[in-house]
Amino acid sequence: MKANMSNGTLNVDKPIVLIGMMGAGKSHIGRALSGALDFRFYDSDKVVEERAGCSIAEIFERDGEDKFRMVEHNVITDLLSGGVSVIATGGGAVLSADTRSALERGAYVVWLSASVDVLMERVQKSQTRPLLQTDDPKATLSALLEQRTDLYSNAADITVDIQSDHAGETVDFIIKALSETINPGSV
Ligand code: S3P
């Protein structure tokens, strides 16, 4: 699929997938990016909930994290095979080696990287994330980020440092970086 950008032409033959921690803004930025490119948008967490007919918190409580990761993997591979789109994934999607291989083969992967303080500010308003229902959510978030940083970094074609809420600037940056990755020397 071809999207004509003000800064050039973006030829994309596979989905653009956003990875990163809870609170990095994957859904918000993903929706804005899909609007700018006129691509379909999917949020893998939402698709998991639709398929399961219940919330992610309920899946964790009833069936456990391992079951959630299996369903998440199936959803992501299905979305990857559905043609060009923008897909926001759950923060732990990269924990599955199978999902990492599927992303490596079938997507342009964008890591939205943010500090624990930025992430914490964003997640503290929401009570919906089962992994953060601990006595010290900031310490939990920090430990998860430490465990996952190498996985995100190795999976990413592009890394975006998220410091502010300016989705427009982030979207412009991603599009430019993708253009350069896909057609080196084009921007
Ligand atoms: C998770 C992140 C959540 C959701 C689930 C597990 C994680 O998605 O998939 O609660 O392991 O980091 P968001 O990153 O969209 O909050």
Side-chain angles (χ1 to χ4, degrees):
M1 191 177 288
K2 194 180 240 192
N4 287 313
M5 308 308 308
S6 55
N7 56 0
T9 300
L10 190 63
N11 281 308
V12 185
D13 54 357
K14 48 191 182 181
I16 300 165
V17 172
L18 304 186
I19 62 169
M21 287 289 287
M22 300 173 259
K26 301 177 295 290
S27 303
H28 182 55
I29 305 278
R31 200 173 286 284
L33 180 64
S34 72
L37 294 171
D38 200 19
F39 292 171
R40 285 167 299 158
F41 173 69
Y42 298 103
D43 180 330
S44 69
D45 281 346
K46 293 270 176 300
V47 181
V48 166
E49 290 182 330
E50 279 160 24
R51 285 198 189 173
C54 63
S55 70
I56 286 172
E58 283 166 326
I59 304 174
F60 267 74
E61 202 179 312
R62 199 184 54 206
D63 304 316
E65 181 172 349
D66 287 352
K67 170 77 182 177
F68 169 74
R69 297 291 170 211
M70 272 174 52
V71 180
E72 180 178 51
H73 170 73
N74 291 338
V75 164
I76 291 172
T77 49
D78 287 352
L79 293 176
L80 289 178
S81 65
V84 167
S85 65
V86 175
I87 303 167
T89 57
V94 293
L95 294 174
S96 155
D98 290 341
T99 302
R100 294 198 299 274
S101 311
L103 290 176
E104 192 177 348
R105 283 193 310 273
Y108 297 109
V109 180
V110 180
W111 173 26
L112 303 188
S113 168
S115 68
V116 172
D117 286 337
V118 167
L119 296 171
M120 200 54 212
E121 208 180 293
R122 305 234 188 121
V123 297
Q124 65 192 0
K125 291 171 210 140
S126 141
Q127 299 294 317
T128 59
R129 291 172 170 104
L131 292 178
L132 295 183
Q133 306 312 306
T134 64
D135 291 341
D136 187 349
K138 188 170 181 180
T140 306
L141 200 59
S142 179
L144 289 173
L145 178 59
E146 202 177 316
Q147 283 162 22
R148 295 175 179 179
T149 293
D150 283 351
L151 297 175
Y152 292 136
S153 168
N154 291 334
D157 296 303
I158 291 163
T159 299
V160 187
D161 192 14
I162 301 289
Q163 284 166 0
S164 71
D165 281 330
H166 299 301
E169 284 170 22
T170 304
V171 164
D172 287 348
F173 178 90
I174 293 172
I175 291 172
K176 276 208 181 97
L178 275 172
S179 303
E180 183 57 33
T181 300
I182 296 162
N183 301 310
S186 64
V187 181

